[in-house]
Amino acid sequence: MNPAEVLDCLVVGGGPAGLTAAIYLSRYRRRTLVIDGGWSRAAWITRSHNLPGFPAGLEGPALLERLREQALLYGGAIRTGYVDILHRRDDGLFVADLDGAPLAAHTVLLATGVVETEPLLPHVAEAVKRGLIRTCPICDGYENIDKNVAVLGTGEHAAAEALFLRTYTDRLSLLLAGGVVPLAAETSEALALAGISVGEVRTGAVRLEDGGATALTQDGQTHRFDVIYSAFGTTSQTALAQSLGARLDASGRLYVTEHQATSVEGLYAAGDVVRGLNQISVAEGEATIAATAIHNRLPRVPA
């Protein structure tokens, strides 16, 4: 393969982490290509109010567009597609398959994120855009102060989100669905002490309406809520890394060093695929660390 055709870094994922890495790598004068699958969880954000520097808030699609524009401004390249196969040659180069064509790179940054486990409700994407369904209490719990809020999910994860949201409202319910997983005794006690009611719901017993939602619990009671938080968890997109033998941590996300390096030499990762906090500012910070580490490990760019 012609050395001129080899990328300094192949970035897989076109969300905030991947695009931030592309901005930095391009400004480091590195030959960088972002492969964007065409969808980022950030695109679901109606308006983020906790992104530093945007006190009036910013829509997710607008943020992504600004990041793309900035990456392209400095010479980065972005292509739409999916990387299904990634392997490493004996000479150390990574080779990815993109629509049947090989792409070679000295390093790879995975910013593949996570996939939300969606609740069994109709028109979920539209409900998220309308603000009836929320997925991130860290992001927008403040906007729901004193509202009547329900957390819909299963097991300890949903209970933890309900307890977190107690910071913002005392009108809070935990709706357990999808085959109820018994809660630990200490969790049930914490919920009771926080004044959080707990009920069980069947699939199809939650309905979205204009300005809110209703839920029919197993005891036959109908409850109305201003907002429902979906707390069914996420699945980290680690398949490419695992195909190379990368190590996962106890939560099933990619293990990385303080420089965002995975256990595979030359393979880096940033964003939600690494850390469960799932915050744009965290993803961008990790991408900056990874991009700088990648630049420093590569041969110097001629002046």
Side-chain angles (χ1 to χ4, degrees), residues 11-193:
V11 178
V12 184
L19 293 170
T20 298
I23 291 169
Y24 275 80
L25 286 164
S26 298
R27 286 177 58 84
Y28 290 144
R29 303 179 68 187
R30 296 299 182 179
R31 188 162 183 252
T32 305
L33 173 64
V34 176
I35 304 301
D36 184 358
W39 174 251
S40 167
R41 288 177 76 235
W44 277 35
I45 299 173
T46 304
R47 181 174 288 266
S48 174
H49 291 275
N50 71 338
L51 188 61
F54 297 93
L58 184 67
E59 298 86 350
L63 170 66
L64 293 170
E65 184 54 37
R66 291 186 186 194
L67 290 170
R68 291 188 194 101
E69 180 182 354
Q70 195 169 356
L72 294 172
L73 177 65
Y74 297 110
I78 304 171
R79 287 176 58 180
T80 300
Y82 291 92
V83 175
D84 295 318
I85 300 173
L86 179 65
H87 68 274
R88 196 174 188 191
R89 299 190 329 199
D90 292 340
D91 62 3
L93 286 180
F94 292 93
V95 178
D97 181 87
L98 181 66
D99 299 327
L103 288 172
H106 293 289
T107 62
V108 172
L109 172 62
L110 295 178
T112 45
V114 297
V115 172
E116 198 86 35
T117 303
E118 297 181 0
L120 296 176
L121 297 173
H123 312 298
V124 171
E126 181 61 28
V128 171
K129 291 179 182 178
R130 290 167 56 196
L132 298 178
I133 294 288
R134 306 277 183 156
T135 60
C136 179
I138 294 175
C139 304
D140 52 33
Y142 186 92
E143 278 64 51
N144 292 305
I145 288 176
D146 295 333
K147 290 185 178 180
N148 192 1
V149 175
V151 175
L152 176 65
T154 58
E156 296 291 326
H157 174 73
E161 288 209 3
L163 289 166
F164 179 88
L165 281 162
R166 184 61 182 82
T167 297
Y168 302 104
T169 181
D170 60 0
R171 302 164 65 199
L172 194 58
S173 301
L174 172 61
L175 304 178
L176 298 173
V180 176
V181 178
L183 298 175
E186 57 268 28
T187 301
S188 296
E189 182 180 357
L191 291 166
L193 287 173

